[in-house]
Amino acid sequence: MALPVLDPTEQRIIGSLLEKQRTVPASYPLSLNALRLACNQTSSRDPVMELSERDLQDAARTLKDRGLLRLVWAGAGSRVVKYHQLLDEVLEPADDERALLTVLLLRGAQSAGELKTRTERLHPFADKEAVEACLARLAAAPEPLVRETQVQHGRDARWIHLLGPVPQADFLARLGIGARADRLSTGADAAQRQAITSALERLLGEAE
């Protein structure tokens, strides 16, 4: 089975639905407004996004056509549409695998230690070694779901999901230049533009 390839908006929608299904089950499935708020959170999201209702509706329609999302009506006779993800029915991950995929979809490349901390509300990993064991299992699957990126000097190995491209904004943030990214198009000197571009190309190459 070929893995679904999700663009950044689709990743955010599926990741948010996976998260809220576990953390606020009484409010799940999510209405369009609740989904927008979940996708555009300023906490537990990297990068922070500003998706409109139209953005979400367009992406949700595509996900529905691909069998990755279902539209659910709030009740008998109701016209309020709610959104329910089907990724876990397609991939059938174990609970620990589901938690890791959720956080990787929402926050990009992360170390095992970061994932241990950030999955606490989704699955209680005993320690970092348990996270690493689960990541290794996902990476060794017939259709690998995650991959370890090249280790940078002095830093722990970082992991990415393989369900689509990891947003470039995540790479910019990890380079420490995210706040200066706009200078690429507003007159930064040629040498600095080249340095930033080269760094991005190296990091994007790691995710391929």
Side-chain angles (χ1 to χ4, degrees), residues 175-202:
L175 284 171
I177 58 176
R180 302 201 306 270
D182 58 330
R183 295 180 59 187
L184 286 169
S185 58
T186 55
D189 65 84
Q192 187 176 37
R193 286 202 305 273
Q194 183 58 46
I196 293 174
T197 300
S198 297
L200 277 173
E201 290 174 347
R202 286 197 303 274

Side-chain angles (χ1 to χ4, degrees), residues 85-165:
Q85 63 78 27
L86 298 175
L87 184 69
D88 56 0
E89 295 183 19
V90 173
L91 300 180
E92 299 183 332
D95 285 348
D96 54 352
E97 297 169 343
R98 186 186 193 278
L100 291 177
L101 289 173
T102 299
V103 176
L104 288 170
L105 283 167
L106 291 174
R107 302 186 71 154
Q110 297 161 80
S111 68
E114 289 172 327
L115 288 166
K116 164 69 172 67
T117 299
R118 294 167 178 174
T119 54
E120 287 182 350
R121 297 180 65 198
L122 302 171
H123 179 81
F125 285 97
D127 48 36
K128 189 174 77 168
E129 287 69 30
V131 174
E132 291 171 339
C134 185
L135 289 166
R137 189 166 73 245
L138 288 167
E143 287 286 350
L145 289 164
V146 303
R147 182 171 69 80
E148 186 177 9
T149 63
Q150 182 177 339
V151 179
Q152 298 180 39
H153 179 68
R155 301 186 67 179
D156 290 341
R158 310 187 82 77
W159 292 80
I160 59 172
H161 67 78
L162 297 178
L163 296 174

Side-chain angles (χ1 to χ4, degrees), residues 58-96:
D58 289 345
R61 187 177 303 111
T62 299
L63 289 168
K64 177 180 178 293
D65 291 343
R66 296 166 62 193
L68 297 172
L69 183 144
R70 178 183 298 139
L71 302 182
V72 180
W73 274 259
S78 173
R79 300 181 64 182
V80 176
V81 176
K82 294 195 172 186
Y83 297 83
H84 168 61
Q85 63 78 27
L86 298 175
L87 184 69
D88 56 0
E89 295 183 19
V90 173
L91 300 180
E92 299 183 332
D95 285 348
D96 54 352

